[in-house]
Amino acid sequence: MKPILHWPAVAALTLLSGLAAPSHAVVYDCKALPVEGSQPYAYPTAINNKLQVSGDSTFSDGRSGAALWKGKRTLVDLNSTLQGPLWGSWASDLNDRGQVVGEASYRCGEFCERRRAILWQDGVPSELPLLPDAHSSLARSINNKGRVVGDMGLSGARHAVLWRDGKAFDLGALGDRPADTYSEAMFINDDNVVVGRSNGGPMDFNSHAVIWDAKGRITDLGPLPGGDWAIAMSVNRAGTVVGSSNGGADNLTHAAAWQGGQVFELGTLTPGWRSHASAINDQGTVVGGEDMAGNYTALVWPSIHEPPQDLKALVGNNCHSKQGYSLDDAVGINADGAIVARGYKVGVGFVAFLLIPR
């Protein structure tokens, strides 16, 4: 289960061959998940412990929108369950009960768009409630207790929100003035701990990585040394947080982890490249990616204290394809270490890849 980072619409195809996995590394069996349409495109966002994947996909009738992959073979069209004049839809996350959350964007006039947080239960969508002064909403993450987090557009602000027991609660932001502040909740774990980002107040335009404890109290996690920007994307039940921050030795944006009051730079495979961490499981394995100048590589960190590994170098079966493929970004990891990644497959297009450890 994992929140969203927008992946570039066009990725360079990197065909790596003959890569040997480190002797201590996990080896993965890889499968390209089904995708439909004359110009197929898939954008996965999260994976649960039943190997179900949420995201966005094209469908056989040419439309695109919220999607659910059930196992390795079945693509479910969630977009078609929505009623009304749609601009589009998105599935951000799912839990082990098969509940899916995301967003639907509706036309409300020639230049008008109405954005609403959506929960799909057994494939049936419902809008999550708005706060009294809200005009838009987006759901980003759902835990196994059915609690949902995201954000809402409010009068003079945009704030992280928690949905619980059919009600919405404003999680607030850093600073002591509610107006002109900004926050986003990116992920909620099964202990109801939430992570995301916030600005520091009305005159602070930087992104601060933050954590809300189970009682809703917000804490600024701080950036890497020398940095002034950070975002928290995931937290496991041990309280280890991962995300991204600028700063460090080269002041580029790098994958970062927060543990025990300290922040750690997770690093890259390629010197001078940017990196990010998307998700961490309860065993402490982290997934994400690195990029520079249109080139992308999906990464896995065995722990926050170990160097990253090229995920494609760990694949043992060539993704069931005689054609070339790339793994460009790892976006989710479940409790058993199964990973969902975005990538490209020659002759098909942008697809989702499911990687299961042997």
Side-chain angles (χ1 to χ4, degrees):
M1 292 175 280
K2 211 306 347 119
I4 306 167
L5 273 180
H6 290 293
W7 188 45
V10 177
L13 175 60
T14 305
L15 301 179
L16 304 176
S17 60
L19 294 172
S23 59
H24 65 280
V26 175
V27 176
Y28 296 88
D29 287 323
C30 176
K31 172 70 176 179
L33 295 176
V35 63
E36 301 172 349
S38 59
Q39 295 180 308
Y41 173 88
Y43 189 109
T45 55
I47 183 172
N48 67 12
N49 290 322
K50 297 182 178 180
L51 301 181
Q52 298 172 329
V53 173
S54 60
D56 180 45
S57 180
T58 54
F59 303 104
S60 57
D61 61 3
R63 295 173 303 105
S64 64
L68 170 66
W69 287 269
K70 300 179 75 171
K72 302 177 184 179
R73 297 179 178 85
T74 304
L75 172 62
V76 178
D77 180 355
L78 295 177
N79 183 73
S80 65
T81 66
L82 298 164
Q83 304 297 317
L86 278 174
W87 282 113
S89 63
W90 181 274
S92 305
D93 193 20
L94 75 171
N95 63 17
D96 291 340
R97 295 155 60 182
Q99 295 173 303
V100 181
V101 293
E103 175 195 14
S105 178
Y106 300 95
R107 300 182 185 93
C108 51
E110 185 177 0
F111 301 106
C112 176
E113 181 181 12
R114 183 171 66 91
R115 299 175 62 195
R116 292 292 184 268
I118 302 294
L119 168 68
W120 283 270
Q121 174 74 55
D122 299 322
V124 179
S126 59
E127 289 190 11
L128 294 172
L130 292 173
L131 291 167
D133 59 343
H135 55 77
S136 65
S137 60
L138 167 63
R140 297 181 182 274
S141 179
I142 182 169
N143 68 11
N144 284 321
K145 298 177 181 178
R147 296 191 179 189
V148 179
V149 294
D151 53 83
M152 284 190 194
L154 307 171
S155 177
R158 188 164 193 91
H159 279 184
V161 172
L162 166 71
W163 286 274
R164 184 186 71 222
D165 300 325
K167 297 180 180 179
F169 299 87
D170 187 347
L171 291 176
L174 295 171
D176 56 5
R177 288 174 53 189
D180 303 317
T181 52
Y182 177 88
S183 62
E184 290 180 321
M186 307 303 293
F187 184 81
I188 181 170
N189 72 11
D190 285 341
D191 292 321
N192 302 321
V193 176
V194 179
V195 294
R197 65 178 173 181
S198 171
N199 67 350
M203 299 305 294
D204 181 359
F205 302 103
N206 289 322
S207 171
H208 298 247
V210 295
I211 186 169
W212 289 267
D213 67 18
K215 295 183 178 180
R217 296 171 295 198
I218 188 172
T219 300
D220 188 343
L221 293 170
L224 290 167
D228 59 7
W229 181 95
I231 183 172
M233 296 298 296
S234 182
V235 57
N236 66 12
R237 300 192 76 173
T240 303
V241 179
V242 296
S244 305
S245 174
N246 68 354
D250 55 13
N251 204 36
L252 292 173
T253 298
H254 286 305
W258 293 264
Q259 185 184 69
Q262 295 181 286
V263 57
F264 303 90
E265 183 175 337
L266 298 185
T268 60
L269 282 173
T270 312
W273 284 34
R274 298 181 295 264
S275 65
H276 63 270
S278 300
I280 183 171
N281 67 7
D282 286 344
Q283 286 67 48
T285 305
V286 181
V287 295
E290 66 177 16
D291 69 276
M292 183 59 69
N295 297 295
Y296 306 91
T297 303
L299 301 179
V300 57
W301 291 262
S303 76
I304 66 169
H305 301 298
E306 296 181 67
Q309 299 170 358
D310 183 341
L311 190 55
K312 186 173 179 182
L314 308 179
V315 172
N317 65 340
N318 199 33
C319 280
H320 295 301
S321 173
K322 296 180 180 179
Q323 300 168 314
Y325 70 99
S326 65
L327 296 177
D328 300 326
D329 190 14
V331 299
I333 183 169
N334 71 10
D336 297 321
I339 295 170
V340 63
R342 304 171 186 146
Y344 190 91
K345 192 171 182 181
V346 173
V348 179
F350 295 102
V351 299
F353 292 95
L354 179 64
L355 297 98
I356 301 175
R358 292 181 175 176

